[in-house]
């Protein structure tokens, strides 16, 4: 994920919240649309997602790392087997725009790195299936663009639509004829609980203990995007004996090893609810329009789809872990381009990759 989040429980230096705590919180605008405008002069092409995955498949670049995802063998009914190869084990063809490593089903972590099958759907999209007893399914739509003759550097974008640092290395190199670039729109087919690449432990063995531990004197500091105007929050659960209730947000105290509030004023409230999603328990948070999702650990590209969740795996490393609930059908934006083999060869050469 391309965001810059910090967990305040371990942060040693924060911008002082005292100045902004004196003024009322603003009301933030609705989430931005997940539809992404292409680079100027890119010519739209219709290419079904399943056709894009055939032959040499699609390619994705992250720095000097390259990933290839393609169909590998004959269809098994409506399912096409997939093969993903990467120059780096931590880099995937999709999901690089959000911080995820495992989905959790029936209390067990399951890797989201390698999709097993692709199933075409009626509108030209494809359903990527990550195999499990209860599979994870991503619905991926690809919009193709003829980028022949256009500057390669214009298509090296980050997930949140900034120029990638490596774009400076390609100079004036342009795409050759036959080059196609793709923008993707991804939706989870079902509600799903996801854990990040680097998990952290809350100190709670289960969801009930999680709520109880942070409902009296101890506060939990939410992750936040490190940016100008950030409003770090210390959170306390209320109504701990129920299955749902309120959360209260305070200004987080700067310069402390452990989470603490700057004063006793409640800056905002939200809701918590204990849920079971995919056979896994979690405490899921929701906030009103006066709380910027970026100050709770939700990035702009996922703000339409994600809620902060404290997830209780029962297998592997136990204990409640902070993660997210992604809602079925909600779009996740991604400004990064994928490429066909012709375009990918040009990118690879322009970056000087072996």
């Amino acid at each position: 994920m391309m965001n810059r989040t910090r967990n305040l429980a371990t942060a040693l230096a924060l911008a002082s919240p005292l100045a902004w705590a004196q003024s009322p919180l603003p009301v933030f605008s609705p989430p931005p649309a997940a539809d992404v405008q292409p680079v100027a002069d890119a010519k739209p092409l219709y290419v079904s997602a399943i056709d894009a995955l055939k032959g040499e498949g699609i390619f994705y670049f992250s720095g000097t790392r390259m990933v290839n995802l393609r169909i590998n063998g004959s269809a098994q009914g409506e399912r096409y087997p997939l093969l993903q190869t990467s120059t780096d084990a931590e880099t995937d063809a999709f999901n690089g725009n959000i911080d995820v490593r495992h989905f959790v089903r029936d209390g067990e972590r399951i890797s989201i790195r390698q999709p097993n099958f692709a199933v075409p759907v009626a509108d030209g999209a494809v359903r990527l299936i990550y195999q499990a007893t209860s599979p994870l399914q991503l619905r991926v739509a690809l919009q193709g663009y003829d980028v022949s003759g256009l500057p390669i550097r214009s298509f090296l974008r980050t997930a949140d639509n900034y120029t990638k640092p490596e774009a400076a290395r390609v100079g004036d190199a342009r795409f050759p004829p036959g080059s196609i670039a793709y923008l993707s729109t991804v939706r989870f087919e079902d509600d799903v609980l996801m854990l990040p690449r680097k998990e952290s432990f809350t100190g709670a063995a289960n969801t009930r203990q999680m709520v109880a531990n942070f409902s009296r004197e101890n506060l939990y500091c939410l992750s936040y995007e490190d940016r100008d105007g950030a409003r770090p929050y210390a959170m306390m659960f209320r109504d701990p004996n129920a299955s749902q209730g309120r959360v209260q947000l305070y200004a987080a105290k700067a310069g402390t090893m452990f989470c603490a509030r700057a004063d006793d004023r409640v800056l905002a409230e939200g809701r918590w609810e204990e849920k079971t999603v995919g056979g896994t328990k979690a405490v899921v948070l929701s906030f009103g329009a006066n709380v910027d999702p970026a100050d709770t650990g939700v990035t702009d590209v996922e703000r339409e789809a994600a809620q902060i969740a404290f997830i209780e795996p029962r297998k592997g490393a136990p204990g409640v872990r902070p993660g997210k609930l992604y809602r079925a059908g909600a779009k996740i934006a991604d400004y990064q381009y994928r490429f066909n083999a012709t375009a990918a060869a040009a990118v690879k050469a322009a970056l000087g990759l072996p």
Side-chain angles (χ1 to χ4, degrees):
M1 180 174 66
M2 302 296 178
N3 70 321
R4 302 163 295 283
T5 57
R6 292 182 178 177
N7 191 302
L8 294 181
T10 58
L12 297 177
L14 301 174
S16 172
L18 295 179
W20 53 259
Q22 306 298 326
S23 58
L25 291 174
V27 174
F28 293 92
S29 59
D35 296 319
V36 178
Q37 295 300 311
V39 171
D41 299 323
K43 301 177 182 64
L45 294 173
Y46 175 77
V47 181
S48 71
I50 200 70
D51 286 340
L53 290 169
K54 291 178 179 177
E56 294 178 274
I58 61 173
F59 295 79
Y60 166 67
F61 292 86
S62 176
T64 59
R65 300 176 294 276
M66 183 179 75
V67 185
N68 173 225
L69 181 66
R70 61 183 177 84
I71 290 171
N72 184 38
S74 301
Q76 303 169 13
E78 63 177 4
R79 304 198 308 178
Y80 290 81
L82 292 173
L83 175 66
Q84 179 175 280
T85 58
S86 177
T87 57
D88 176 77
E90 296 300 313
T91 305
D92 313 325
F94 291 100
N95 308 315
N97 55 329
I98 55 177
D99 182 18
V100 295
R101 176 53 62 210
H102 294 97
F103 66 102
V104 186
R105 287 278 200 261
D106 298 319
E108 182 177 7
R109 297 168 178 81
I110 303 169
S111 174
I112 194 175
R113 202 183 77 78
Q114 171 68 58
N116 300 89
F117 298 99
V119 178
V121 295
D123 60 0
V126 69
R127 186 178 297 116
L128 299 184
I129 299 175
Y130 295 76
Q131 192 63 25
T133 303
S134 300
L136 172 70
Q137 300 184 69
L138 293 183
R139 186 184 185 92
V140 178
L142 294 177
Q143 173 59 60
Y145 297 93
D146 180 354
V147 297
S148 304
L150 298 181
I152 291 174
R153 64 176 179 271
S154 299
F155 293 84
L156 299 180
R157 311 296 295 174
T158 66
D160 45 3
N161 206 24
Y162 292 95
T163 301
K164 288 184 175 180
E166 59 268 25
R169 297 168 52 184
V170 308
D172 295 327
R174 292 177 177 266
F175 287 109
S179 295
I180 300 175
Y182 302 98
L183 284 173
S184 63
T185 300
V186 176
R187 307 170 192 260
F188 287 97
E189 290 281 81
D190 306 291
D191 286 354
V192 60
L193 295 169
M194 305 289 295
L195 288 168
R197 292 180 177 89
K198 294 183 179 180
E199 295 181 20
S200 57
F201 184 46
T202 62
N206 53 60
T207 54
R208 298 308 304 162
Q209 189 179 66
M210 174 72 193
V211 173
N213 284 354
F214 299 99
S215 64
R216 295 182 292 274
E217 296 180 2
N218 296 326
L219 290 94
Y220 185 90
C221 279
L222 295 169
S223 296
Y224 70 103
E225 184 175 303
D226 186 15
R227 70 202 192 284
D228 291 341
R231 296 174 178 267
Y233 288 121
M235 181 187 73
M236 180 173 286
F237 290 99
R238 297 301 187 190
D239 317 304
N241 296 321
S243 59
Q244 58 182 306
R246 298 166 294 143
V247 292
Q248 294 179 324
L249 299 181
Y250 303 84
K253 189 174 183 179
T256 58
M257 176 66 73
F258 300 102
C259 183
R261 55 188 165 193
D263 57 46
D264 291 333
R265 286 171 294 177
V266 176
L267 297 181
E269 288 197 348
R271 301 289 301 176
W272 68 268
E273 182 178 358
E274 190 175 42
K275 293 185 176 183
T276 299
V277 180
T280 303
K281 286 186 178 180
V283 174
V284 180
L285 305 182
S286 57
F287 299 99
N290 64 334
V291 176
D292 191 332
D295 293 326
T296 69
V298 174
T299 65
D300 276 346
V301 298
E302 64 185 356
R303 64 191 294 168
E304 184 176 328
Q307 292 175 261
I308 299 300
F310 299 99
I311 301 167
E312 183 187 321
R314 298 193 307 275
K315 302 173 184 177
V320 175
R321 312 292 171 118
K324 290 171 185 171
L325 168 66
Y326 290 89
R327 296 184 295 274
K331 292 184 287 188
I332 301 172
D334 193 350
Y335 294 83
Q336 300 171 105
Y337 285 87
R338 278 79 182 168
F339 304 98
N340 74 342
T342 301
V347 174
K348 186 177 178 182
L351 291 174
L353 303 181

